[in-house]
Amino acid sequence: MSSSSPRSPQIPVVVLAGFLGSGKTTLLNHLLLHRAGNRIGVIVNDFGAIEIDAMTVSGQVGSTVSLGGGCLCCAVDASELDTYLETLTRPSARLDVIVIEASGLAEPQELVRMILASDNPRIVYGGLVEVVDAAEFEATRERHPEIGRHLAVADLVVLNKTDRAGDEECARIRQAVAETGSTAAIVPATYGRIDPELLIDPALRPDGEEKARQLTFEDLYLEERAAQDGHGHDGHLHTAYESVDFDSDVPMDPRRLMEFLDSRPEGLYRIKGYVDFGAGDPGNAYGVHAVGRFLRFTPQPWTRGAPKRTQLVLIGSGIDAPALRKELEGCRATADAVAETRQDAAHERAMWGVLRYVRQPGDDA
């Protein structure tokens, strides 16, 4: 992304779900250890422990503790969720993402509903991540048939412990996920190790904010891990997914782009960036945030003197990157479309499909 692009102040809230023993806490610890400078807020919807910075943080309902490096952890009941989201989204916390680790027996849909219905203007839904124990999937489904319902609404499925399940078993699980009607991206993992960039954008700090500092436990841990592994297995986590960068100095046709977004393919997990709709709204860049089937546009004035352009990043698993890039190229406005839009006194006719996804005060997403 260009450093001159406007940025949305909203903080993504990610729900991390999965039945007992699936590896949620292991995955969360991995994210905290590989946060690459991001400030993470953690809400634990259960009694439990998170290990980070060479210590164990034991959560009690109603408590907030520091995880070091600006990260915070809360342990709450679902009824307290809004209160703690309000605490974690205060400007002084300067968090980049909030992760809610749901109880192993929780209904993740309820947490998602609460996030979407929240009146907190500083948050945006960051997706439902369902962690599945590949080695115990059939046994889990027998004990908890509701797993099908959870998978059907997940935005990302992490197929964990694949080292303990064969290729045939993993293929059967993928088929079972598809049979729920899910279009979620499915990413294999061992020990909960997924690339943090699936959930967390690279940290962007103002110049001078991250100056010379002492080595943290995170730095030392990563150095030691790299030395032990040679080049480090974690460096290859990105092979589980693909990303597509799209950059255009030609405005996008709102109708064509909405057709693309409304029919985005299976496995396309995230879309982020900024869109120039040209004469459709010459004064604003449109921040786009899509995760799974969730979509939100956030219009904001162009930065004075900055070039107007569309910059998008698409992330998914099993996607056809060249085909997606070609489709986006086909969403550029033609000369005729630009002229037609300029002549259209009611610009909203061209922009209506986009404006449906701009949240207004009081909306219940």
Side-chain angles (χ1 to χ4, degrees):
M1 292 296 154
S2 169
S3 60
S4 62
S5 296
R7 297 182 65 215
S8 169
Q10 290 180 306
I11 303 171
V13 180
V14 177
V15 177
L16 181 61
F19 287 96
L20 297 169
S22 61
K24 297 189 305 298
T25 302
T26 302
L27 189 154
L28 181 55
N29 286 327
H30 171 77
L31 291 178
L32 291 169
L33 283 167
H34 298 79
R35 58 190 178 83
N38 284 282
R39 299 169 68 92
I40 302 176
V42 178
I43 296 178
V44 182
N45 177 221
D46 197 6
F47 292 99
I50 296 175
E51 297 178 8
I52 187 67
D53 284 7
M55 64 181 180
T56 299
V57 177
S58 297
Q60 297 294 326
V61 170
S63 68
T64 301
V65 294
S66 173
L67 295 179
C71 296
L72 301 173
C73 178
C74 305
V76 304
D77 287 326
S79 61
E80 301 174 304
L81 184 59
D82 265 339
T83 300
Y84 278 87
L85 285 175
E86 185 68 28
T87 299
L88 292 177
T89 56
R90 288 180 302 187
S92 59
R94 295 165 44 244
L95 296 180
D96 297 295
V97 65
I98 296 171
V99 180
I100 301 175
E101 183 185 4
S103 161
L105 298 177
E107 282 291 338
Q109 299 98 313
E110 179 62 17
L111 291 172
V112 170
R113 185 197 65 77
M114 294 175 70
I115 295 167
L116 292 176
S118 174
D119 291 328
N120 188 331
R122 295 188 292 271
I123 66 170
V124 65
Y125 176 58
L128 169 59
V129 180
E130 183 76 17
V131 184
V132 173
D133 183 341
E136 300 291 336
F137 178 75
E138 291 301 334
T140 301
R141 184 161 59 167
E142 185 174 339
R143 292 194 306 272
H144 304 288
E146 63 269 29
I147 191 174
R149 186 170 67 251
H150 298 180
L151 291 170
V153 298
D155 300 299
L156 175 69
V157 175
V158 176
L159 198 55
N160 197 28
K161 306 184 186 181
T162 53
D163 55 319
R164 295 176 49 202
D167 292 342
E168 290 185 6
E169 179 60 19
C170 289
R172 282 195 294 270
I173 297 172
R174 288 176 178 272
Q175 180 61 32
V177 173
E179 288 173 355
T180 68
S182 171
T183 59
I186 302 176
V187 176
T190 57
Y191 302 102
R193 295 197 298 255
I194 65 170
D195 194 318
E197 287 193 25
L198 278 167
L199 306 178
I200 307 172
D201 292 334
L204 295 176
R205 298 274 174 240
D207 290 341
E209 184 173 330
E210 295 290 341
K211 291 185 177 180
R213 56 181 173 81
Q214 291 183 328
L215 283 176
T216 65
F217 176 77
E218 177 188 4
D219 300 323
L220 297 173
Y221 173 87
L222 293 177
E223 285 185 7
E224 180 182 357
R225 185 65 172 272
Q228 291 175 346
D229 292 348
H231 46 67
H233 295 301
D234 290 341
H236 299 283
L237 296 175
H238 63 277
T239 59
Y241 70 93
E242 290 185 85
S243 64
V244 178
D245 295 329
F246 178 77
D247 190 330
S248 174
D249 58 3
V250 177
M252 304 298 280
D253 183 294
R255 293 189 181 97
R256 292 182 182 179
L257 184 63
M258 287 312 305
E259 288 175 1
F260 168 79
L261 292 173
D262 286 340
S263 61
R264 51 195 187 273
E266 294 184 14
L268 182 53
Y269 172 54
R270 292 181 69 196
I271 304 175
K272 56 188 179 179
Y274 295 90
V275 181
D276 173 19
F277 286 116
D281 188 347
N284 286 305
Y286 277 72
V288 58
H289 169 80
V291 55
R293 309 317 296 176
F294 175 83
L295 175 63
R296 174 74 53 79
F297 282 103
T298 306
Q300 49 195 291
W302 286 103
T303 301
R304 185 184 298 274
K308 296 182 179 181
R309 60 192 312 115
T310 295
Q311 295 177 294
L312 297 173
V313 177
L314 292 74
I315 299 173
S317 178
I319 59 176
D320 186 337
L324 287 175
R325 189 173 288 108
K326 185 175 181 180
E327 287 188 61
L328 284 170
E329 290 171 353
C331 294
R332 291 169 169 153
T334 63
D336 290 343
V338 170
E340 179 184 346
T341 304
R342 285 174 177 160
Q343 295 168 5
D344 187 353
H347 286 163
E348 61 269 21
R349 278 192 289 175
M351 292 289 291
W352 183 82
V354 174
L355 296 176
R356 283 184 301 154
Y357 294 98
V358 175
R359 189 173 188 184
Q360 303 298 324
D363 281 357
D364 184 348

